Amino acid sequence: MAIIVWLASACFGQIPVEEATRLAQSGRWSEAHDLLQPAVQQNRDLANGHAWYVLGFIQKELHKNAGESGVDAPFRAQSVESFQLALAHQSLAQTERENSMEALDFLSRSYFREAIEMVEGFTYGAEKTIFDLMVRYEDIQRYLNPEFDKTEQRSDLHRYLAQAYSNLLETERFAETETEDEILDKAILHFESSLTMDAGNYATRYNYAITLYNHGVRQLKRINHNTSMFQLMEIQDACVALFEQSLPPMEQAHAQRPDRLETLKGLMTIHYALSQKDESDAYRRQMEQLLQKR
């Protein structure tokens, strides 16, 4: 086991590092933790970097074995703290220092992976936990590298969340409720936040436009024989506003990649929905020309 390399024998004061090391080497992680953790906590002034280092690895293994999840997963949080306390000791051996930093990077990325998994299986109300997990990831990465730049990951996260909210709208689960309006607002907010950090992202602009357009179409499809004249006018106004709002991001996406059929089709469709036939026909002709070239 690779863990044997760093579990060197040591025993000082009232800290039973040697016995905890022996238990850990035989895979008795819980016993090792129950022996070492209270001793280290009760004798923090005596605990050197090696003691915290051994404790950190024991807690890391317990975290993995327990399949913990969540912002406050105890063994993960404790392991992070133990490794940081180990690194605070200048006497910590170089190999142990390097291993501690690698372990912290692993723990940091476990927060990141969990956040992304929650986005992929997104449920309404999960956003706070997702951002809390990302903050844990960013904090540890910044500890490891003070020049760490979170911009790229944050831009991606906002884009993923925007799409997750867009997907919720597609389910119609919250149709014609206040929650539906909140979900649309959240999608818009995250698209805008992502573009603030990465203004040149084609996919963000295109999906932003599609989300707005599709939501307008959904409103139109809800018109039926029970819709009053007043409701009809209200729905039509809301749809026009959404179609108009979808036009700039689609135009910007098209400007970035003028030979993409998807943006030409998007612009043709949006202008048609806005009863702008000349503009719609112009984009249709561009599509036909592009297809002939291919």
Side-chain angles (χ1 to χ4, degrees):
M1 293 174 64
I3 194 170
I4 296 176
V5 174
W6 51 262
L7 285 176
S9 296
C11 187
F12 58 93
Q14 301 177 53
I15 313 292
V17 180
E18 184 176 353
E19 179 62 15
T21 297
R22 186 185 65 78
L23 291 168
Q25 286 177 326
S26 61
R28 296 158 68 182
W29 301 104
S30 293
E31 292 177 58
H33 181 264
D34 291 346
L35 176 67
L36 185 58
Q37 195 271 344
V40 169
Q41 291 294 340
Q42 291 166 16
N43 300 276
R44 292 175 74 95
D45 293 338
L46 292 175
N48 64 9
H50 178 69
W52 287 113
Y53 170 76
V54 172
L55 181 59
F57 266 102
I58 291 170
Q59 291 163 334
K60 174 173 168 282
E61 291 302 313
L62 286 170
H63 161 67
K64 289 164 59 180
N65 293 340
E68 289 183 325
S69 63
V71 178
D72 299 319
F75 286 125
R76 178 162 56 181
Q78 291 167 17
S79 182
V80 169
E81 180 186 28
S82 294
F83 281 123
Q84 289 177 338
L85 287 168
L87 288 165
H89 285 262
Q90 296 301 316
S91 61
L92 187 67
Q94 184 60 31
T95 300
E96 294 182 341
R97 185 170 296 278
E98 292 170 1
N99 289 340
S100 294
M101 294 181 73
E102 288 179 8
L104 282 172
D105 184 61
F106 167 83
L107 292 165
S108 169
R109 294 181 188 281
S110 74
Y111 284 113
F112 179 82
R113 287 192 298 271
E114 192 173 329
I116 297 305
E117 287 170 2
M118 289 190 70
V119 174
E120 291 173 348
F122 188 71
T123 55
Y124 186 67
E127 181 179 324
K128 183 182 183 304
T129 301
I130 290 169
F131 272 101
D132 287 345
L133 288 164
M134 281 297 291
V135 167
R136 294 291 177 91
Y137 159 73
E138 292 163 355
D139 285 347
I140 300 171
Q141 287 296 317
R142 195 175 298 109
Y143 171 85
L144 294 171
N145 176 17
E147 296 182 3
F148 170 73
D149 185 356
K150 69 179 183 180
T151 303
E152 183 178 353
Q153 283 100 336
R154 274 296 175 115
S155 174
D156 288 343
L157 179 61
H158 282 297
R159 183 170 74 256
Y160 298 151
L161 279 171
Q163 196 59 52
Y165 279 114
S166 178
N167 293 341
L168 273 187
L169 291 171
E170 295 284 352
T171 67
E172 293 275 14
R173 204 180 315 158
F174 303 97
E176 300 182 80
T177 67
E178 289 184 6
T179 302
E180 183 179 51
D181 294 335
E182 293 172 6
I183 292 172
L184 178 62
D185 288 343
K186 286 280 192 180
I188 292 171
L189 173 65
H190 287 297
F191 276 123
E192 292 286 355
S193 296
S194 182
L195 288 169
T196 298
M197 297 177 177
D198 184 7
N201 192 292
Y202 168 85
T204 305
R205 294 193 184 281
Y206 176 77
N207 289 325
Y208 187 10
I210 290 297
T211 294
L212 293 167
Y213 173 79
N214 284 348
H215 196 59
V217 171
R218 273 192 293 275
Q219 310 310 302
L220 288 177
K221 287 181 176 179
R222 292 172 188 170
I223 297 172
N224 56 43
H225 63 280
N226 292 319
T227 305
S228 68
M229 183 61 68
F230 176 76
Q231 290 173 323
L232 178 62
M233 294 172 61
E234 200 173 47
I235 291 171
Q236 287 176 332
D237 287 345
C239 291
V240 168
L242 286 164
F243 295 150
E244 289 177 340
Q245 196 176 352
S246 72
L247 196 52
M250 187 64 80
E251 288 174 335
Q252 290 157 358
H254 176 61
Q256 285 181 261
R257 301 186 183 181
D259 291 334
R260 292 296 293 265
L261 282 171
E262 59 189 3
T263 55
L264 287 169
K265 182 179 179 181
L267 288 166
M268 178 190 74
T269 305
I270 293 169
H271 281 293
Y272 184 83
L274 289 168
S275 301
Q276 297 168 348
K277 188 175 184 303
D278 291 343
E279 291 87 344
S280 180
D281 287 345
Y283 284 112
R284 177 179 53 78
R285 287 191 293 271
Q286 288 185 48
M287 282 183 62
E288 292 170 350
Q289 292 168 3
L290 187 58
L291 286 169
Q292 287 174 0
K293 289 179 182 178
R294 295 181 178 181

